[in-house]
Amino acid sequence: MRRRWVVTSCWVIWPVLVVVSMIYCKTTLDQIGGLGMVGAAYQKGSTHSSSIRSSEKFKKDESFGGLLSPDFPDRSCLSRNQSILNRKPSLHTPSSSLISKFRTYESLHKRCAPFSKPYNETLKTLQSGPAIADFHCKYLVHLWMSHSGLGNRLLSLASSFLYAILTDRVLLIDQGRETARLLCEPFPDTTWALPVDFPIRNLFESFDQNSPHCYGNKLKNKVQYASMDDESDLPPFMYLNLIYDYGDYDKRFFCDSDQDLIRKVPWLVLRSDQYFIPSLFLISSFQSELRKLFPERGFVFHHLSRYLFHPSDHVWGLITRYYQSYLAKADQRIGIQIRDFGSTDLPFQSMKDHISTYYLPHLAVNQTNFNHIKDSRDLTSPLTFMMDRILDCSMQNNLLPKVKFNPQGSVFNGPKTAKSKAVLVTSLNSFYFESIKNMYWENPTVTGEVIGVYQPSSEEYQQNHNPTHNMKALAEIYLLSLMDVLITSPWSTFGYVAQGLGGLKPWILNNPHKKMGSDQRPCHKATSIEPCFHFPPFYDCEARTESDTGKKLPFVRHCEDTSWGLKLFDDH
């Protein structure tokens, strides 16, 4: 009788215990990101474990050294909460001034957000003119470039954001719905998407350097305002044209005297495909604050990108599934980013003409300089010798092992403790991936290392208007940023974003468009992780004459991969 009672009790209690344990386990796993993320945390080669979650160090890393606001709900954006599980902590701590500036901006954005009372009041100026109110909120509307790839879009967006916080403006983005597919909202309890019923939205397509609303065109046509102090005389909105082929009058945006007028206009609409932050450091009225915000000048984009760019939940799923399946277990991860200019619709001939007519005459002071600039300009041509350059760079610098060609088919036995390397190839073309994969499949390595080669996608050509294409592109940028070593193509904004997010100094391939001499290096190590401003102004604002802006400050110099471009470097 007693035995029957015990058996009966077990049958009753056992299902209850199972249910309770499942609920407990699910709660625990939800708190640390789900089964997939737990697996990634314990995998060989990973730098973190779930036990770190309780430590103060993890909490600091989770907010990227204090960059991220603590006001976000835990589940509002998976990537914002879980990225620390796959990413090594940054070695570069944001300044207290930058953290404070971000918190101040978040308050401003929330107070002046779309449909708020200040927003609605400022909106009235677009119909009746700015004389009706003393503006408590001013705005910068950022326009995406239709022909630009995702790298250009993200770089120009980061540039607009920095300009917004320097001038106490609220940043709003046109095509916010497309942005939402890619990125989480970066500011708590608000949105950065421009409302679809914005009054002058129908004018955006007509804005160019010849538009009557364009600041540069107003200067060209000598439009005068009665008084700089009388805001009622200023237009309610102004268009800023900062596209690669912008004119000399457009470039006056980077002059202090012009900023005095521009900062008074309530609504600015900016279109750019450039990382124009280096030239903001040349505007004297911004320099004092920029020094406080970024004492390490070589890591401006690193901090801005980690603050702004958190992949949407859908994109985060693409990233984590791929990383855990193919990359997490490797002892070392190597990213190879290949920019094939033959598979894009960028206006290369127009770019070449602009480089030849605007930069070449002023910077080519001797034949060596002339050849250097001409080589950089020719990067807009198909990169014929890219494969040779990749293999030479990776093997000469011991990034990847050489292979032992084995035509007889004998077995090469490596050490039992052989290290593994995962190679992530990102390119629109599958040729490079297939070539590297087959080389390591068909031949053993001389070191005995095990090499796995992976490519998430090969879309064949750039599809800027395809949301799925852009989501895959962002996933691949982010995956590249998780690598230990990075090899990138020159001129590539795709690579710039990856190196900035990851805090990685890449190996930049040299002259992949032409055959090189035996005395030339296949690649060189970048000295700064900052992106390059490809088409900066070549202008001295005070002297009102053309001048090399790469020689004005020790930390704003010409880029390693674009001899006329500008880039930020640490000056110590």
Side-chain angles (χ1 to χ4, degrees):
M1 184 72 182
R2 179 178 178 82
R3 181 183 299 175
R4 181 181 301 174
W5 180 86
V6 170
V7 171
T8 304
S9 299
C10 288
W11 278 107
V12 172
I13 295 172
W14 176 250
V16 176
L17 291 175
V18 171
V19 171
V20 170
S21 66
M22 289 177 66
I23 293 172
Y24 175 78
C25 289
K26 181 182 186 302
T27 303
T28 304
L29 289 175
D30 282 347
Q31 290 173 348
I32 56 178
L35 280 169
M37 299 309 296
V38 174
Y42 282 101
Q43 299 217 21
K44 178 183 175 184
S46 176
T47 58
H48 308 290
S49 69
S50 60
S51 62
I52 301 176
R53 293 197 64 87
S54 60
S55 70
E56 288 300 316
K57 183 176 184 298
F58 182 91
K59 291 177 181 177
K60 186 175 181 181
D61 290 341
E62 192 176 35
S63 67
F64 294 154
L67 274 182
L68 305 185
S69 171
D71 296 336
F72 283 105
D74 285 343
R75 304 294 290 180
S76 64
C77 176
L78 294 178
S79 64
R80 186 160 33 230
N81 297 315
Q82 296 177 353
S83 61
I84 189 61
L85 294 171
N86 291 331
R87 186 182 296 287
K88 294 178 182 178
S90 174
L91 300 176
H92 308 282
T93 305
S95 68
S96 59
S97 296
L98 183 62
I99 294 170
S100 176
K101 190 72 172 179
F102 284 164
R103 299 295 88 81
T104 300
Y105 176 81
E106 289 160 5
S107 298
L108 173 69
H109 196 110
K110 186 175 181 180
R111 176 166 53 86
C112 301
F115 308 114
S116 65
K117 184 177 179 181
Y119 172 86
N120 291 335
E121 286 296 317
T122 311
L123 208 62
K124 295 175 184 177
T125 64
L126 296 174
Q127 283 84 29
S128 56
I132 66 169
D134 179 21
F135 306 116
H136 297 291
C137 301
K138 294 182 180 179
Y139 297 86
L140 176 65
V141 177
H142 179 87
L143 305 184
W144 291 102
M145 284 290 298
S146 60
H147 70 256
S148 294
L150 185 60
N152 292 76
R153 295 184 184 193
L154 295 176
L155 293 175
S156 63
L157 180 54
S159 303
S160 288
F161 175 65
L162 180 56
Y163 179 69
I165 65 174
L166 289 171
T167 55
D168 297 318
R169 290 182 179 272
V170 173
L171 175 68
L172 298 177
I173 308 175
D174 188 33
Q175 299 182 16
R177 188 175 300 173
E178 179 182 345
T179 308
R181 293 191 186 104
L182 298 173
L183 301 169
C184 297
E185 291 278 0
F187 316 125
D189 303 319
T190 186
T191 181
W192 61 350
L194 184 74
V196 293
D197 61 350
F198 187 67
I200 61 170
R201 199 163 181 264
N202 61 317
L203 299 178
F204 290 168
E205 284 299 317
S206 67
F207 285 174
D208 59 24
Q209 59 185 334
N210 297 315
S211 166
H213 305 292
C214 178
Y215 178 66
N217 194 45
K218 289 176 182 289
L219 292 177
K220 183 179 179 181
N221 293 321
K222 298 181 172 55
V223 174
Q224 298 291 327
Y225 299 103
S227 170
M228 291 280 287
D229 299 320
D230 184 6
E231 295 189 14
S232 66
D233 184 51
L234 296 175
F237 71 92
M238 190 177 284
Y239 169 62
L240 303 171
N241 181 64
L242 301 182
I243 304 170
Y244 79 93
D245 62 348
Y246 55 156
D248 289 338
Y249 288 104
D250 296 316
K251 292 167 186 169
R252 291 268 296 274
F253 167 83
F254 296 105
C255 296
D256 259 318
S257 58
D258 294 81
Q259 281 296 322
D260 288 339
L261 186 148
I262 292 171
R263 65 168 47 98
K264 297 177 185 295
V265 178
W267 289 94
L268 296 179
V269 181
L270 186 151
R271 179 180 279 125
S272 178
D273 55 358
Q274 297 293 303
Y275 181 72
F276 57 81
I277 285 177
S279 287
L280 295 181
F281 277 78
L282 298 176
I283 300 175
S284 57
S285 59
F286 295 158
Q287 288 174 352
S288 176
E289 185 166 15
L290 285 170
R291 274 196 298 270
K292 295 175 184 176
L293 297 178
F294 302 104
E296 290 183 297
R297 275 78 169 214
F299 299 91
V300 174
F301 182 72
H302 179 60
H303 295 313
L304 291 177
S305 63
R306 284 156 65 90
Y307 175 77
L308 280 179
F309 303 143
H310 301 280
S312 67
D313 287 355
H314 180 78
V315 176
W316 187 241
L318 297 177
I319 294 165
T320 55
R321 286 190 294 274
Y322 200 90
Y323 183 83
Q324 292 159 23
S325 297
Y326 303 109
L327 306 172
K329 294 182 180 180
D331 293 300
Q332 187 182 37
R333 290 165 284 274
I334 299 161
I336 302 177
Q337 181 273 322
I338 302 163
R339 179 68 161 101
D340 190 340
F341 290 102
S343 55
T344 182
D345 58 353
L346 285 174
F348 292 136
Q349 190 56 51
S350 175
M351 287 182 175
K352 286 185 179 183
D353 292 344
H354 184 62
I355 295 164
S356 297
T357 57
Y358 186 74
Y359 296 102
L360 195 57
H362 307 293
L363 292 175
V365 294
N366 54 47
Q367 189 62 40
T368 302
N369 245 15
F370 180 90
N371 291 337
H372 189 192
I373 296 171
K374 187 174 181 297
D375 281 347
S376 297
R377 185 200 71 172
D378 286 343
L379 287 176
T380 55
S381 302
L383 306 183
T384 312
F385 295 90
M386 177 66 86
M387 192 68 244
D388 294 339
R389 214 67 80 241
I390 292 168
L391 295 178
D392 290 344
C393 174
S394 58
M395 292 181 184
Q396 289 181 20
N397 294 288
N398 297 317
L399 308 179
L400 288 174
K402 295 179 180 179
V403 296
K404 181 177 182 181
F405 291 103
N406 200 22
Q408 286 76 32
S410 60
V411 177
F412 178 79
N413 293 317
K416 293 182 179 180
T417 57
K419 289 187 176 181
S420 62
K421 291 186 176 183
V423 180
L424 177 72
V425 179
T426 65
S427 174
L428 292 172
N429 195 322
S430 62
F431 165 76
Y432 307 101
F433 159 70
E434 293 289 348
S435 299
I436 299 171
K437 181 194 71 172
N438 288 338
M439 182 181 73
Y440 284 110
W441 180 35
E442 296 170 0
N443 306 283
T445 61
V446 296
T447 60
E449 291 172 301
V450 178
I451 310 298
V453 186
Y454 310 99
Q455 181 174 11
S457 70
S458 54
E459 301 281 288
E460 298 303 329
Y461 63 94
Q462 194 163 293
Q463 306 167 45
N464 297 326
H465 301 289
N466 184 338
T468 302
H469 175 87
N470 287 329
M471 286 189 281
K472 289 179 180 178
L474 180 58
E476 292 186 13
I477 287 174
Y478 202 96
L479 285 168
L480 284 172
S481 77
L482 298 176
M483 300 298 99
D484 302 305
V485 179
L486 202 55
I487 300 172
T488 63
S489 308
W491 255 64
S492 175
T493 55
F494 195 98
Y496 293 162
V497 178
Q499 70 196 42
L501 275 170
L504 301 167
K505 290 183 179 179
W507 292 87
I508 306 173
L509 299 171
N510 290 333
N511 295 338
H513 60 285
K514 72 173 189 177
K515 191 172 183 178
M516 295 176 64
S518 58
D519 59 333
Q520 294 177 292
R521 295 181 300 165
C523 62
H524 63 277
K525 188 75 173 286
T527 54
S528 167
I529 69 169
E530 275 290 294
C532 178
F533 182 6
H534 284 162
F535 295 98
F538 195 83
Y539 188 74
D540 187 318
C541 293
E542 294 181 3
R544 295 294 173 94
T545 185
E546 291 170 340
S547 174
D548 186 353
T549 48
K551 295 182 178 180
K552 292 185 177 296
L553 293 174
F555 53 85
V556 181
R557 305 197 296 271
H558 291 301
C559 311
E560 297 111 329
D561 61 338
T562 310
S563 53
W564 62 87
L566 289 185
K567 183 173 180 176
L568 292 168
F569 296 82
D570 282 330
D571 57 340
H572 54 270

